[in-house]
Amino acid sequence: RARTHAKIIELNLTAQLLLARAFYGPLRESGGTLTFIGSVGAVRPSPGTAAYAAAKAGLESLTASLAAEWAPEVRVNCVRAGMVRTDRSDLHFGDEGGLAAAGHTVPLGRPAEPREIGEACVFLASDAASYITGACLPVHGGGEPPAYLLPEGGRP
């Protein structure tokens, strides 16, 4: 179990740091931007996925640190993604009905489409976001409600 937790942190935090450092030179030379993909898990309790949530919280800290360190040559931001429909959603939500039920707990009434997360990344990399660095942009459909607001003890 400890090895699994270490691998989750390695994949979701350590690898991001190593990749960012590897691309710093080309990003600096081109005036590029870096956008990490975070998670709402970084800012709320995540029972059963604590290593993932801790790694995503660390990614938000990494975003702020690299933004300060690399400014003004490179802007560094993060998209704090909420629930997203993917080809693997069934692993977490079960069938389409389970995903729809979970999606109804989000104020916009549905999970994000992958395209919507990508469009937020494009915005952060664009000139329209030229004064944004060190930010974690929430892209979560209005947020996921706390468990006490959900029926049946916190289950959608």
Side-chain angles (χ1 to χ4, degrees), residues 5 8-9 11-13 37-42 44 46 48-58 81-82:
H5 294 309
I8 289 169
I9 292 168
L11 174 66
N12 290 284
L13 178 59
I37 303 297
S39 170
V40 296
R44 62 157 166 74
S46 296
T49 59
Y52 174 80
K56 292 301 186 175

Side-chain angles (χ1 to χ4, degrees), residues 6-139:
K7 288 294 188 185
I8 289 169
I9 292 168
E10 181 181 325
L11 174 66
N12 290 284
L13 178 59
T14 307
Q16 310 311 305
L17 171 61
L18 296 176
L19 283 169
R21 295 252 178 236
F23 283 96
Y24 172 67
L27 287 170
R28 185 189 68 237
E29 290 169 19
S30 67
T33 68
L34 177 63
T35 303
F36 293 115
I37 303 297
S39 170
V40 296
V43 294
R44 62 157 166 74
S46 296
T49 59
Y52 174 80
K56 292 301 186 175
L59 192 61
E60 292 200 13
S61 178
L62 178 62
T63 298
S65 295
L66 291 181
E69 184 179 330
W70 293 358
E73 292 86 9
V74 178
R75 292 186 300 107
V76 181
N77 291 295
C78 179
V79 167
R80 185 185 299 142
M83 187 184 320
V84 181
R85 175 190 305 277
T86 70
D87 59 351
R88 306 297 304 267
S89 294
D90 62 316
L91 296 177
H92 189 71
F93 300 104
D95 63 12
E96 189 62 33
L99 179 61
H104 287 302
T105 68
V106 175
L108 287 183
R110 63 176 179 80
E113 294 297 330
R115 164 190 59 76
E116 293 170 307
I117 304 302
E119 289 169 351
C121 294
V122 168
F123 163 71
L124 287 172
S126 76
D127 288 342
S130 63
Y131 199 66
I132 300 173
T133 194
C136 291
L137 178 65
V139 183

